[in-house]
Amino acid sequence: KRIVVLISGSGSNLQALIDALNTPALPNAEINLVVSNRKAAYGLTRAAQASPPIPTAYLALATYLKQNPGKTRQDYDAEVAKIVLRAKPDIVILAGWMHILSEGFLELLDGRKNVDSEEDISVVKPIPVINLHPALPGQFDGASAIERAFEAFQKGEITYSGAMVHRVVKDVDRGEPIVVREVPFVKGETIEEYETKLHNVEHDIIVEATRKILGESQSS
Ligand code: GRF
């Protein structure tokens, strides 16, 4: 099974996927491409240092728009989709991809629209796209979820938050959850201590969700 991972940052979740390859946690899978929207993303280094090294690509929105005057963010998202589709993935994983993907991307991945290019990267069966989000379904959608959850805890509004992996749909962080894991707060802990707990949970659920979805496509 072929995996493409999209990142923007340190790539610790990418690393969790790399470490799980060829283990019972993630059998019969390979990561064929890592795409970043930031050249400086350390995750690109993790991919290059994997054994065997994982091909990488990066495409920053600002650079794309500068180099393609008149093109829009939808065009950028379609360009990212083409880069992804060339790797012929069975699944696309957003692991800390800090860029909202518009219909320009999603319609190509689920085959509603085919790429208007000579290459043979048309999509026959919709390709599942999943996203890791550091909060529970419907709790803190969007950016700064961890900070907002921690603030709510400090105000006594909640006693736990968590992380989830969900299917990507056009409404940000609103797709059907695949794996959800609660992470309780501990009185007096710092946000850094909470974040460490949360990231460890993320490293588990990103692998579990990938295995689940790849297993589904195996049966279908
Ligand atoms: C994770 O907390 C993820 O939930 C959020 O960005 C972070 C990515 O971390 N979207 P990393 O780049 O995988 O280390």
Side-chain angles (χ1 to χ4, degrees):
K1 291 290 179 178
R2 301 174 58 87
I3 300 172
V4 170
V5 184
L6 272 57
I7 60 162
S8 299
S10 73
S12 68
N13 287 283
L14 165 66
Q15 192 64 57
L17 289 163
I18 292 170
D19 298 343
L21 291 173
N22 305 316
T23 73
L26 195 50
N28 316 317
E30 54 188 356
I31 300 174
N32 301 93
L33 178 66
V34 170
V35 183
S36 174
N37 64 335
R38 284 183 58 241
K39 186 177 179 185
Y42 184 66
L44 292 172
T45 304
R46 293 179 191 269
Q49 289 176 345
S51 59
I54 299 170
T56 61
Y58 73 85
L59 183 61
L61 173 61
T63 312
Y64 174 81
L65 294 178
K66 205 161 44 218
Q67 288 171 349
N68 299 276
K71 292 278 189 185
T72 67
R73 181 188 176 113
Q74 295 265 354
D75 297 318
Y76 168 82
D77 288 355
E79 191 54 40
V80 173
K82 285 180 200 163
I83 293 169
V84 168
L85 289 174
R86 287 187 193 111
K88 302 203 180 305
D90 294 301
I91 187 171
V92 177
I93 304 171
L94 311 187
W97 171 262
M98 303 310 278
H99 169 88
I100 294 171
L101 286 168
S102 64
E103 277 292 274
F105 178 89
L106 294 173
E107 61 189 0
L108 290 175
L109 267 288
D110 62 19
R112 272 179 290 139
K113 183 163 176 275
N114 265 328
V115 180
D116 55 351
S117 84
E118 62 296 335
E119 302 163 277
D120 168 27
I121 45 177
S122 56
V123 171
V124 178
K125 195 169 69 164
I127 298 171
V129 182
I130 66 176
N131 177 52
L132 172 66
H133 182 65
L136 296 174
Q139 290 292 311
F140 300 99
D141 296 344
S144 312
I146 298 173
E147 293 77 5
R148 288 155 51 207
F150 195 76
E151 211 175 290
F153 160 62
Q154 287 185 311
K155 288 186 209 154
E157 292 163 2
I158 55 176
T159 58
Y160 63 91
S161 184
M164 68 162 163
V165 180
H166 62 90
R167 287 185 191 276
V168 173
V169 293
K170 61 180 177 307
D171 307 323
V172 179
D173 295 333
R174 303 295 293 157
E176 169 213 350
I178 301 161
V179 179
V180 179
R181 188 86 57 81
E182 292 175 0
V183 179
F185 291 103
V186 169
K187 202 143 186 53
E189 74 182 338
T190 64
I191 187 167
E192 289 76 21
E193 286 164 337
Y194 174 70
E195 258 201 89
T196 302
K197 284 190 296 187
L198 188 92
H199 288 321
N200 288 332
V201 162
E202 289 187 315
H203 300 160
D204 279 353
I205 64 174
I206 191 106
V207 172
E208 185 183 335
T210 302
R211 181 177 67 248
K212 221 171 148 183
I213 296 296
L214 287 180
E216 268 173 19
S217 56
Q218 191 124 12
S219 53
S220 64

